[in-house]
Amino acid sequence: MSAIKVGIVAIIVGAIGTVAILVTPSWFPVAAAVQAHRQDDLYLALMIMSSFIMAVVTVFLVYSVWRWRARPDDLRDGPPIHGNTTLEIIWTVVPTIIVIAFAVAGGVVLVKNEQTTSQELVVKVTGEQFAWTFQYPNGVVTHELVLEKGRPTEFAITSLLHDVIHSFYVPQFRVKADAVPGIMNYTYATPTRVGKYVLICTELCGPGHSLMRAPVQVMEPADFTQWLATQKSDQSKGGA
Amino acid sequence: MTGHGHPHGPVRSEPRSPWLHGSWLRAIWVSFLFAFIAIGISAFIRYLLGFPLHGAEMQEVAATFGLTFWAIGFTVGIGCFDYWWGYIIGSPNWVQEDHSAHGAYSWRDYFKVNTDHKVIGIQYLVLTFIFFMIGGALAEGVRAELASPGTQYFSPGTYNGLFSAHATLMIFLFVIPSFAGIANFVVPLMLGAQDMAFPRLNALSFWLLLPGGLIFLASFAVGPFAAGWTNYAPLSVHAPIGDTFFTIGVQFAGASSIATAVNFLVTIVTMRAPGMSFWRMPLLVWANLATSSLVVLGTPFIAGSQFMVLYDRVMHTHFFDPATGGNVVLYQHIFWFYSHPAVYIMMLPGFGIISEIISIHSRKPIFGYRLIAFSTVAIGVLGFTVWAHHMFVSGMAPWLRIPMMATTMLIAVPTGIKIFSWVATLWDGVIHLTTAMLFALGFIFTFVIGGLSGIFLAVLPVDINVSDTYFVVAHIHYVLFGGSVFTIYAGLYHWFPKMTGRMYDERLGRLHFWLTFVAFNATFMPMHWLGLQGMPRRVADYDPRFATLNFIISIFAFVLGASTLVFLYNVIHSWARGPIAPANPWRALTLEWQVSSPPPIFNFDEPPQVVGGPYEYGVPGARHAIVTVHEPDPQFAGVATATAVAGSTLQREALLTAMKHILVVANQTVAGDALIDAVRERAGAEPLRVTVICPQNDPGGDWVTDDRQLAQATRERLDQTLARLREAGVEAAGEVVDRDPYTAVMDQVESSDPPAEIIISTLPQTRSGWLRRDLVERVRRDAKIPVEHVVVDVHQEPAAGA
Ligand code: HEM
Ligand SMILES: [Cu+2]
Ligand SMILES: [Cu+2]
């Protein structure tokens, strides 16, 4: 078989892989933010690209071994081919184009994911060993992260000054940012799905790291407003 | 025989007590003495300054100084500094060209300071493999805990210690130094050099590693370091005393790598054989050139980062304390400025190994030699521009993220070039599926997966999602196990015959490969999915919905661990009993295969002349280099040619050096039966060549003879002996030398063709002038190789007339 035919087989295998990737029901937990959908699309594109690269390498590898495997007593040498400039240019240039394309796509998605607007909700998130605290613009402080569906939210994340690094991660939002003592770090999510999720700490922070979690809830705007108001009055009562 | 008469005898007259001379015994007492003195001085200073001599502060100070000086004391005690110290104090025993610690004559020599790159290479490989197994055992502990959710065997603190020590040992005491071990053995041979540029520094590099590793392990005695191998501040700054052990252990492992890298750089740049231009260097040499540059430029940064953590802990310097103006993210910048290049330090040598193996075992020139070499250098250079891709979520300057993404993605290009070139090399080859080749092919498969997941991680929004999840754990194992460890295995199988002189068992090798390959993929492939689903890394406990998958992973992890035992059995068994390896079992062209297996003590008698590229397979008549081996005597050349009937010139040369060389010293007793029997007996055990010398003069004694008749008689006795030895199938050559016996022997020992053993034959005690002058004792003391004394009573033996 000529190299071209093997190449065609490889592309077919890559295409089959692509179909498998696309029909796989869920690569991720349910997507609950605008950012999550964008991440998932990028991920699928990367998977498809990888499927073809994997197919090309594996098919050529397996074919060569199958076709040219020699017995131990076979003392021949192969043909003295030292290289092929055209091929070498192709496999330098094509991957360069692929990675540049993904770098551009990644950059565009990042910029979109982090766009700020004037109506956004700003929640201050503070990590400490081993708990999370959330502070809302109206002064409400909670240990449960409650968010409003459809409202762009900026998380201003930090850690107590004498504490260690933690990391804020909600898998359903696909965003993450470290909570660093002395630094304000930001990440953004626009929730799109009402439901209950879990915030997990993803930076090793000591013996309690694996259990450092906090409940997350996304509510309809009306419910959210009401929740915020109740919290406000509860807390001012408690404080008084 | 060389005719010059430089004063002999490093004249080491004092008895060599193991308490006082480089030895394990001295290493133990000197290391603890150093540690106690260091702790004592620091305690005294604290006392003078009015600080308490107990409590956490004092413990930190004691650990810092105690561990540091313990490790230094160890290298002093074992004998790394003896030569330099002798020079510094002008010791009368000091010898400029001291080869006394060069080469191994018995297994015991592997436990001593040795300056032979081949011995050091094997020392590295054995030691690092031990650490690999300890690190592997720790990983099995991690997998046991993770086999089901909740807490089973280890408290969360201990669990954090397990994976921290696991990663630390694997990176600093296995992958990085075992590549140094392979390169130590192979690179000087490939270059046509007799050794590394700085053999004593080389020995020191090796001996720094052991105390470094022991310090890491010792931390378990006080509560292990548990902030990960990354040791991020401020967690590490606030951590208990175990973390101090980490910061100090890293310094010794790091110093070891830097010293080795400097050694490689100088060796590769200055010690290439004539004709070995850069474009004729084997790709493994290119890889080590690039790696060594990375080590020299990068390792000081991790040393610095750990010193800063240590200072914050012990001296309260506040580098990383934001409350007093420190900066937490600074730590990560310094750390990753080394630790990203470190991932290439752990991969480039593997790439080099794979290039060698793919080309040799598929009998084709490597496809695109120059582009591969360029891509190696490109990876090395780009490697310094991507460190912050480990910090995309860290809170560093946000603008830095996109440039770092771009450079990271670009590194995938040279990496891809290598992969495609290897695959193209296989095309239309004559592919021999040896175990080394299986590992190389398995490596290509797993490494493509690791490289592709690397691209996922470089794409910012994807990294922001999966960073610090099991996806990263999957990635690092695909690149470090499926990548580095597979290449180490491939290299060990490929060079096993060269290193040990024995062949390994291919069937066991294949079993090892398939067990490892299947168990590896079954263990780590599912981890990608766990990460995508949101399982964070470095957790002792996890969401119960991941329980089934984690259980399966743990089972395969145990299989993976067990597969190592197959390798171990194969190596130990083959090393002891395997079939004798030919000089060049793979019919390779590179220089290490043109000398015997294992190579002779100084590798090459003359610098080889390099005449072509290293991978000219299939090119009719092509040669990489011409190797000349000195033949001690023209008489001997004839015999040797006869021995290697079918061999090429190269193989004949190799054969000569492969035979054990014995020096026989005798004069009046030269034709004695007892002597000839002693030689014959040895010849029965292994191929032998013998040089017989008959020293005629003894200027130190009371007579000097130029009696021609006497010399003639000796000559006759000698010829008679040589004839009898050849009859017995021993390659023998010899001559009458005009010197005193001691000088004559030492001339031989220090010649370019030194013997491996000496037999001194004398008359019985009462009648022997040599024995009266303690010849045997003096030679035993100074030659440092086995010396046997045979007594021949000529008057009782009918054959020995004259
Ligand atoms: C195509 C080549 C590669 C690319 C694009 C790449 C990319 C990355 C990225 C972006 C990360 C950061 C993930 C995160 O923490 O969020 C990462 C982690 C890592 N990579 Fe790679 N990588 C590549 C090859 C390698 C190789 C060859 C090795 C080692 C031999 C390696 C070892 C590691 C290690 C040890 C980590 C985890 C470090 C830690 O946080 O403990 N990578 N890689
Ligand atoms: Cu944590
Ligand atoms: Cu990196």
Side-chain angles (χ1 to χ4, degrees):
Chain A
M1 238 181 355
S2 74
I4 307 244
K5 283 191 197 151
V6 180
I8 292 172
V9 173
I11 295 199
I12 295 171
V13 172
I16 296 172
T18 305
V19 173
I21 289 162
L22 291 176
V23 300
T24 301
S26 80
W27 286 99
F28 292 104
V30 59
V34 176
Q35 283 77 1
H37 292 285
R38 296 196 190 111
Q39 193 277 159
D40 295 3
D41 293 345
L42 255 184
Y43 173 83
L44 280 185
L46 280 163
M47 283 296 278
I48 292 167
M49 178 272 291
S50 306
S51 165
F52 283 100
I53 299 214
M54 258 331 268
V56 168
V57 173
T58 323
V59 168
F60 274 90
L61 196 79
V62 171
Y63 176 77
S64 303
V65 172
W66 172 78
R67 174 82 166 66
W68 290 294
R69 176 167 182 188
R71 296 163 46 87
D73 55 5
D74 184 342
L75 296 184
R76 288 173 307 131
D77 279 350
I81 303 165
H82 286 87
N84 177 318
T85 312
T86 321
L87 267 182
E88 288 169 33
I89 291 176
I90 291 177
W91 65 52
T92 309
V93 172
V94 173
T96 311
I97 295 173
I98 294 177
V99 295
I100 289 179
F102 276 104
V104 170
V108 169
V109 169
L110 183 76
V111 171
K112 276 196 195 157
N113 277 358
E114 303 194 340
Q115 248 155 16
T116 47
T117 59
S118 49
Q119 322 89 37
E120 70 185 8
L121 171 67
V122 179
V123 182
K124 186 175 178 214
V125 180
T126 309
E128 72 191 278
Q129 281 176 330
F130 299 96
W132 293 100
T133 313
F134 309 99
Q135 191 184 357
Y136 289 82
N138 64 355
V140 164
V141 175
T142 63
H143 292 292
E144 180 189 14
L145 178 59
V146 178
L147 299 171
E148 180 178 348
K149 182 183 161 189
R151 176 140 176 224
T153 308
E154 176 181 290
F155 301 96
I157 304 165
T158 189
S159 182
L160 291 185
L161 209 52
H162 292 286
D163 209 87
V164 303
I165 306 176
H166 306 273
S167 192
F168 168 100
Y169 179 44
V170 183
Q172 288 78 1
F173 296 168
R174 319 275 195 268
V175 293
K176 172 183 296 124
D178 284 0
V180 184
I183 284 181
M184 197 57 84
N185 194 6
Y186 298 91
T187 192
Y188 307 83
T190 309
T192 52
R193 187 176 171 280
V194 173
K196 293 193 166 172
Y197 312 106
V198 181
L199 158 60
I200 39 192
C201 175
T202 48
E203 182 62 53
L204 178 63
C205 55
H209 170 55
S210 26
L211 297 177
M212 182 172 161
R213 301 186 175 176
V216 180
Q217 194 176 353
V218 177
M219 294 179 175
E220 293 292 352
D223 298 340
F224 176 76
T225 322
Q226 203 200 332
W227 173 83
L228 204 57
T230 331
Q231 289 290 322
K232 174 86 187 164
S233 61
D234 282 2
Q235 286 186 6
S236 41
K237 253 185 272 160
Chain B
M1 302 314 116
T2 43
H4 63 102
H6 62 83
H8 257 300
V11 207
R12 294 179 203 94
S13 40
E14 78 281 25
R16 295 183 61 88
S17 154
W19 287 94
L20 297 177
H21 290 273
S23 70
W24 284 87
L25 202 58
R26 192 177 77 168
I28 291 168
W29 75 257
V30 173
S31 58
F32 283 99
L33 180 71
F34 272 41
F36 287 129
I37 292 177
I39 295 172
I41 292 178
S42 52
F44 183 63
I45 294 174
R46 280 179 70 86
Y47 167 76
L48 290 184
L49 297 176
F51 293 120
L53 296 186
H54 50 80
E57 291 271 312
M58 181 61 215
Q59 284 173 11
E60 285 288 343
V61 171
T64 306
F65 288 97
L67 292 173
T68 308
F69 282 89
W70 177 80
I72 294 173
F74 179 86
T75 58
V76 171
I78 198 86
C80 291
F81 293 93
D82 286 2
Y83 177 87
W84 294 316
W85 182 245
Y87 173 79
I88 291 168
I89 63 169
S91 155
N93 296 339
W94 183 82
V95 193
Q96 172 101 47
E97 282 289 322
D98 186 357
H99 294 304
S100 56
H102 197 95
Y105 300 95
S106 97
W107 60 272
R108 284 190 193 83
D109 290 339
Y110 287 94
F111 293 86
K112 298 176 188 158
V113 173
N114 203 297
T115 50
D116 182 342
H117 72 98
K118 299 181 288 298
V119 176
I120 294 177
I122 288 179
Q123 287 177 326
Y124 261 109
L125 290 171
V126 172
L127 181 70
T128 54
F129 205 83
I130 291 171
F131 279 113
F132 179 45
M133 298 212 299
I134 298 173
L138 295 170
E140 301 298 6
V142 169
R143 278 323 312 178
E145 177 61 44
L146 292 180
S148 50
T151 302
Q152 275 73 238
Y153 309 105
F154 303 108
S155 71
T158 315
Y159 177 87
N160 292 353
L162 285 182
F163 70 71
S164 302
H166 157 70
T168 304
L169 291 184
M170 288 301 190
I171 291 174
F172 297 114
L173 282 142
F174 173 56
V175 175
I176 296 178
S178 65
F179 279 131
I182 293 180
N184 241 298
F185 195 100
V186 178
V187 166
L189 284 162
M190 278 185 160
L191 292 173
Q194 292 197 323
D195 205 303
M196 297 278 279
F198 308 119
R200 291 185 191 88
L201 183 66
N202 202 15
L204 177 61
S205 308
F206 169 73
W207 288 101
L208 280 170
L209 210 55
L210 179 62
L214 291 180
I215 288 175
F216 288 140
L217 289 177
S219 79
F220 277 92
V222 294
F225 52 93
W229 77 278
T230 48
N231 209 34
Y232 271 18
L235 184 60
S236 53
V237 176
H238 301 324
I241 194 161
D243 210 87
T244 298
F245 285 59
F246 177 85
T247 57
I248 291 173
V250 166
Q251 305 303 341
F252 288 94
S256 160
S257 336
I258 295 176
T260 310
V262 169
N263 218 337
F264 276 123
L265 285 178
V266 178
T267 308
I268 294 171
V269 172
T270 65
M271 291 176 65
R272 282 166 293 134
M276 173 84 74
S277 63
F278 275 101
W279 292 121
R280 282 177 180 168
M281 290 194 314
L283 287 166
L284 179 66
V285 178
W286 270 105
N288 274 288
L289 187 62
T291 306
S292 304
S293 320
L294 291 180
V295 170
V296 170
L297 295 173
T299 312
F301 284 84
I302 193 176
S305 70
Q306 299 316 312
F307 273 131
M308 288 160 95
V309 169
L310 183 67
Y311 293 168
D312 267 11
R313 294 171 59 83
V314 181
M315 312 199 298
H316 307 298
T317 42
H318 304 306
F319 286 116
F320 306 125
D321 179 4
T324 43
N327 186 323
V328 174
V329 177
L330 174 67
Y331 174 84
Q332 297 171 35
H333 279 297
I334 308 173
F335 178 83
W336 287 112
F337 195 78
Y338 163 75
S339 292
H340 180 79
V343 310
Y344 293 105
I345 291 168
M346 295 188 273
M347 204 56 256
L348 290 179
F351 288 163
I353 291 173
I354 297 302
S355 297
E356 299 297 322
I357 292 176
I358 296 273
S359 169
I360 292 173
H361 295 259
S362 61
R363 312 301 308 160
K364 271 186 68 195
I366 193 88
F367 195 97
Y369 169 89
R370 285 193 182 213
L371 195 58
I372 295 187
F374 270 130
S375 66
T376 304
V377 176
I379 290 176
V381 174
L382 278 176
F384 278 109
T385 64
V386 303
W387 76 92
H389 67 211
H390 296 272
M391 302 166 59
F392 284 156
V393 298
S394 70
M396 65 172 184
W399 69 266
L400 200 52
R401 294 177 297 174
I402 289 185
M404 284 286 168
M405 163 169 70
T407 47
T408 304
M409 306 273 290
L410 278 182
I411 288 206
V413 174
T415 313
I417 288 175
K418 284 173 187 287
I419 306 243
F420 297 129
S421 305
W422 292 324
V423 174
T425 307
L426 292 169
W427 185 266
D428 204 6
V430 179
I431 299 174
H432 293 273
L433 283 188
T434 53
T435 307
M437 185 66 157
L438 281 176
F439 270 102
L441 298 173
F443 157 81
I444 296 183
F445 177 82
T446 48
F447 187 73
V448 174
I449 298 178
L452 287 169
S453 66
I455 298 185
F456 282 58
L457 290 170
V459 176
L460 269 161
V462 177
D463 180 79
I464 289 174
N465 181 26
V466 296
S467 171
D468 274 316
T469 68
Y470 258 75
F471 191 89
V472 172
V473 179
H475 165 72
I476 57 186
H477 287 92
Y478 265 88
V479 287
L480 282 176
F481 198 133
S484 313
V485 179
F486 275 35
T487 65
I488 291 171
Y489 276 138
L492 290 178
Y493 281 108
H494 181 69
W495 282 293
F496 185 84
K498 183 55 58 186
M499 292 175 176
T500 62
R502 305 274 181 164
M503 296 304 286
Y504 60 86
D505 183 326
E506 286 283 3
R507 286 181 48 212
L508 284 176
R510 278 198 291 274
L511 174 69
H512 172 223
F513 169 75
W514 285 110
L515 271 178
T516 307
F517 184 76
V518 172
F520 166 78
N521 283 291
T523 306
F524 294 107
M525 183 65 87
M527 289 186 185
H528 291 106
W529 192 83
L530 285 178
L532 298 176
Q533 292 296 318
M535 176 163 161
R537 80 194 256 228
R538 297 176 167 176
V539 287
D541 188 5
Y542 52 86
D543 193 327
R545 77 198 156 98
F546 301 131
T548 321
L549 200 50
N550 268 301
F551 181 75
I552 298 174
I553 289 176
S554 290
I555 297 295
F556 280 109
F558 298 140
V559 177
L560 187 58
S563 74
T564 318
L565 301 178
V566 180
F567 173 78
L568 207 61
Y569 173 79
N570 195 355
V571 164
I572 294 175
H573 189 262
S574 309
W575 204 336
R577 306 237 160 82
I580 300 288
N584 193 353
W586 317 127
R587 296 177 291 126
L589 289 174
T590 41
L591 273 164
E592 80 275 25
W593 298 105
Q594 314 313 324
V595 292
S596 61
S597 302
I601 182 160
F602 285 104
N603 303 346
F604 303 96
D605 293 342
E606 257 182 38
Q609 176 65 44
V610 177
V611 293
Y615 305 112
E616 300 295 289
Y617 300 100
V619 181
R623 277 181 87 170
H624 173 49
I626 296 163
V627 178
T628 318
V629 175
H630 282 187
E631 288 154 21
D633 194 285
Q635 277 173 303
F636 174 40
V639 189
T641 319
T643 324
V645 202
S648 69
T649 4
L650 284 184
Q651 278 165 332
R652 183 176 63 75
E653 289 153 5
L655 255 168
L656 272 176
T657 34
M659 286 184 287
K660 187 169 179 189
H661 184 190
I662 291 190
L663 177 68
V664 173
V665 193
N667 188 349
Q668 299 186 42
T669 60
V670 72
D673 282 339
L675 172 60
I676 290 178
D677 288 345
V679 176
R680 275 200 194 133
E681 192 187 303
R682 281 174 179 67
E686 59 191 314
L688 213 63
R689 62 195 171 89
V690 174
T691 306
V692 184
I693 53 171
C694 303
Q696 271 290 312
N697 265 335
D698 192 349
D702 36 41
W703 51 269
V704 176
T705 178
D706 57 356
D707 187 332
R708 278 165 204 282
Q709 249 180 329
L710 204 59
Q712 184 56 33
T714 313
R715 178 86 237 166
E716 273 161 24
R717 285 200 301 271
L718 174 64
D719 286 344
Q720 205 182 326
T721 310
L722 292 179
R724 287 181 67 189
L725 285 176
R726 290 203 194 109
E727 243 167 65
V730 176
E731 317 269 341
E735 68 182 290
V736 179
V737 287
D738 189 20
R739 347 209 48 206
D740 73 288
Y742 175 83
T743 314
V745 172
M746 293 313 289
D747 266 349
Q748 285 287 328
V749 168
E750 294 183 3
S751 73
S752 58
D753 183 28
E757 197 181 327
I758 302 175
I759 300 178
I760 300 177
S761 163
T762 66
L763 293 166
Q765 184 72 45
T766 47
R767 273 173 284 138
S768 165
W770 287 3
L771 289 187
R772 242 173 287 145
R773 279 186 291 278
D774 295 332
L775 176 69
V776 179
E777 280 72 11
R778 281 194 291 153
V779 171
R780 272 213 183 109
R781 190 187 65 214
D782 297 337
K784 299 223 173 54
I785 53 177
V787 176
E788 182 173 327
H789 177 204
V790 178
V791 177
V792 178
D793 195 345
V794 270
H795 303 292
Q796 305 295 309
E797 288 188 354

